[in-house]
Amino acid sequence: MHRHGAARRPGHRTAPRGTAPLLAGPLLAGLLLTGLPLAGCTTAAGTAPVAAPSPSGSPSAPSVPAAEPPAQPAPQLTEQQVNSAVARIDDYVQTAMATTGVPGVALAVVYRDRVVHAKGFGVRQLGLPDPVDPDTVFQLASLSKPIASTVVAGAVGRKAVKWDDPVSAHDPGFALADPWVSGHLTIADLFSHRSGLPDHAGDLLGDLGYQRDYILQHLRDQPLAPFRASYAYTNYGLTEAAVAVAAATGTAWEDLAADVLYKPLGMAATSSLRAAYDGAANKAVPHVRTDAGWQVSATENPDPQSPAGGVSSSVQDLARWMRLQLADGVFEGRQVVDAAALNDTRVPRIVAGLPKAPAGSATFYGLGWNVNQDARGRLRLNHSGAFDLGAATVVTLLPSEQLGIVVLTNGQPIGVPEAVAEEFFDLAQEGRETVDWLGFMGKVVPAAAQAGVSPTDYGRPPVDAAPAQPDAAYIGTYGNGYYGPLTVNAREGGLVMSLGPDDLEFPLQHYDGDVFSFRTRGENAVGLSGVTFSVGADGRASTLVVEQFDHEGLGTFIPILT
């Protein structure tokens, strides 16, 4: 249903809208220098970074070797460098907004367990004067995933579940296509996108209006790639893992998230229910960019995949969460989330993207996080969020520096939050911009959303296109075990295809012979896509194939005899 920071790609492939990002999985995953993470964010007490051993003060004294290597690199940034970056980032945000037209932005920076900057820019909705401020509520899209893994870490710390528990132990009715995989699939497998499910499995069912139970039940119809050897970003796979954890605790996921994380941290503006966002007085409205400029939009209800993309929050609240992350689960002196369970989320579980050059680095995914090293060998935790219908977000943490930034916007994904975050770390580390981040992200992020576009230009039928057969050849009801029934009717002006639990209607336009097209809609819309009928000697269609639905071979519909 929602890309949440990862691009939908045609066919079932391992990672190359995260994403997006999307590029090689979640949005920023394949864009930057990366590698293996180091263990832990802080000392065992959760209060300070582990420092590298230093030589004695005497120039002539020999260095005393440490008893063991440090758990992670010593901090490389000074407070002055961080403060300088904070002082300069606002101008960059304003320039990015002026350049792109994104209506509203909010950001927060956490450093050494303090919120050193939180600010809003622009407006919540075009045409209205209400400003964005640090308490404005935004939809987070896939930034929900590291929040979800924090919640599960909390449940692990309470001994309710273990990361390596089989999902079937807590949700016996769940299954995938392979019985052996179904029995061995763990919570960690689904949180790291290594189940073998195809990229974005289930999302198109969400676009059609199907609810969570139906979608999770029908994941068993999806073909599988090699288990634990294939990375493919799946919102509903992660959602199933979260639902199983909630079942183990005897509560709903949305309540578990509030009890484990939101309430203990005082995140009063944060919720895993769409109704809370809709009811917020101070909320950022989604916008999309059209040929006529930016316009108010409306996102789909993400409740069916709430753990993967349904959180709404403010930067003030998310700053509290970043403080907990950077302090190994400690907040205001209290161990809210178990440190060991939280650090499990920061270990690479699967290769998300191969190196782009011989001397380059692979990219990795942990449990709800892109888990990599930056160019200086520091653990870098990152995740983007993206609703094509009007939200783009990012969070990036450097645990060894005790430094993190979150950027939220109310515009469709065009690279603004990612550019702001990368600019901030550039300014802190280098004192200058080393890459034109806005230009770079402004190309790769929108390009990721085009991954599922048909190679056929249905807007330009062949000059010698064959005529369609009489409407009676196509009219009827067709069945499909995954997508459900589909009906083709004749209306004034042409044929109309309807499907989904709410009978969504899609007018069909003739292209060539028995091939028609329709305009896709929803979070995974890809413009025009094809509908191909196979008509037999009796003058009736024997099959109907919907191109957008057929990436995994599930798009064939068969007539239902009445």
Side-chain angles (χ1 to χ4, degrees), residues 84-231:
S84 176
V86 167
R88 298 168 64 185
I89 197 62
D90 288 3
D91 287 344
Y92 185 82
V93 172
Q94 291 166 347
T95 298
M97 294 178 68
T99 301
T100 64
V102 168
V105 176
L107 66 81
V109 177
V110 167
Y111 182 55
R112 294 179 180 174
D113 201 33
R114 294 185 300 113
V115 182
V116 296
H117 192 45
K119 189 171 181 178
F121 306 81
V123 294
R124 303 177 214 164
Q125 179 177 336
L126 285 176
L128 298 178
D130 302 322
V132 173
D133 61 41
D135 295 309
T136 299
V137 176
F138 289 75
Q139 292 182 286
L140 301 189
S142 273
L143 203 160
S144 304
K145 290 180 174 67
I147 293 175
S149 68
T150 309
V151 173
V152 175
V156 170
R158 296 179 179 184
K159 310 301 182 185
V161 296
K162 298 188 293 293
W163 280 112
D164 291 330
D165 279 355
V167 171
S168 59
H170 306 299
D171 185 3
F174 180 74
L176 296 181
D178 185 312
W180 189 92
V181 172
S182 298
H184 291 79
L185 183 73
T186 67
I187 295 166
D189 290 327
L190 289 172
F191 259 87
S192 57
H193 307 299
R194 64 183 190 185
S195 66
L197 281 168
D199 182 59
H200 283 77
D203 282 15
L204 291 176
L205 291 177
D207 281 353
L208 293 175
Y210 286 102
Q211 295 304 303
R212 180 187 293 170
D213 288 349
Y214 180 94
I215 298 171
L216 296 182
Q217 180 183 7
H218 284 78
L219 290 181
R220 68 188 64 188
D221 297 332
Q222 291 276 359
L224 296 177
F227 181 47
R228 294 180 182 160
S230 306
Y231 170 88

Side-chain angles (χ1 to χ4, degrees), residues 402-477:
Q402 295 290 284
L403 179 64
I405 185 171
V406 62
V407 186
L408 312 179
T409 74
N410 61 350
Q412 73 181 88
I414 58 171
V416 170
E418 292 83 8
V420 171
E422 294 310 312
E423 181 76 10
F424 174 76
F425 287 109
D426 246 7
L427 294 175
Q429 188 67 63
E430 308 296 339
R432 63 182 181 85
E433 182 178 65
T434 64
V435 173
D436 176 8
W437 291 114
L438 190 62
F440 175 65
M441 296 295 183
K443 294 177 182 177
V444 297
V445 173
Q450 301 301 310
V453 174
S454 173
T456 301
D457 185 354
Y458 291 103
R460 296 176 179 271
V463 175
D464 57 349
Q469 302 194 45
D471 287 352
Y474 312 118
I475 291 173
T477 299

Side-chain angles (χ1 to χ4, degrees), residues 55 107 192 283 314 364:
L107 66 81
S192 57
K283 67 173 179 288
S314 67
F364 302 89

Side-chain angles (χ1 to χ4, degrees), residues 374-392:
D374 70 4
R376 294 173 179 260
R378 295 171 295 194
L379 172 63
R380 174 189 172 95
L381 304 174
N382 162 271
H383 216 292
S384 287
F387 284 165
D388 276 357
L389 295 176

